[in-house]
Amino acid sequence: MDVDRPLPTPMTPEAKPFWDGCRAEKLMLPRCEDCGHVFFYPRILCPRCHSRRIGWMQASGRGTLHSFEIAHQAFQKAWKIKPPYVLAMVQLEDSPKAIKCDMPVEVVFTKVSDDVTLPLFQPRR
Ligand SMILES: [Zn+2]
């Protein structure tokens, strides 16, 4: 098979159900079994409540175009797809808590070291 782009390494345990689902043509998303939060990318902790009880759900695969960019130059030599091509961000209908443009947010200050505190943002409650 002729590979026309860099491929991910789907061997991390936290991402394996996602890649196994893709091989079976099912879009699987991680979902926290404690708070119900659906998120992506796969990780070992829920990004909302930090629970380690992560399950999986099959998404419908339907969504809406949230944002896009038309690339007129390949950004990496490993890409053999001839530009222009579209880079798109899709809002899945199965992720009710996903971010949206114009949604209200609020600052959350996160101390990352003794000298640095980062201003991060979360959806406003
Ligand atoms: Zn959670």
Side-chain angles (χ1 to χ4, degrees):
M1 177 177 276
D2 191 23
V3 177
D4 62 1
R5 66 198 71 195
L7 298 179
T9 306
M11 295 302 144
T12 59
E14 62 271 19
K16 188 175 185 314
F18 173 78
W19 294 109
D20 287 348
C22 288
R23 275 200 314 277
E25 298 188 3
K26 296 177 181 177
L27 184 61
M28 303 300 291
L29 296 175
R31 178 175 55 197
C32 176
E33 293 184 0
D34 285 326
C35 75
H37 184 54
V38 178
F39 54 93
F40 195 82
Y41 58 91
R43 56 200 105 167
I44 60 172
L45 295 174
C46 170
R48 179 192 282 165
C49 75
H50 303 136
S51 169
R52 290 182 176 266
R53 294 184 354 108
I54 306 300
W56 290 83
M57 61 166 279
Q58 183 177 352
S60 70
R62 292 186 300 270
T64 56
L65 181 62
H66 177 74
S67 180
F68 72 95
E69 170 185 315
I70 299 173
H72 292 277
Q73 294 182 342
F75 56 86
Q76 217 267 356
K77 288 182 179 178
W79 283 83
K80 305 215 175 12
I81 300 169
K82 188 175 179 181
Y85 51 87
V86 174
L87 302 170
M89 181 183 293
V90 171
Q91 170 77 50
L92 292 172
E93 67 181 23
D94 306 274
S95 53
K97 299 296 184 184
I99 63 170
K100 297 177 181 176
C101 288
D102 299 326
M103 70 185 295
V105 296
E106 63 189 1
V107 69
V108 177
F109 292 99
T110 303
K111 182 177 179 178
V112 294
S113 73
D114 288 340
D115 297 325
V116 177
T117 298
L118 295 175
L120 305 177
F121 289 85
Q122 68 180 15
R124 195 164 61 209
R125 298 175 186 202

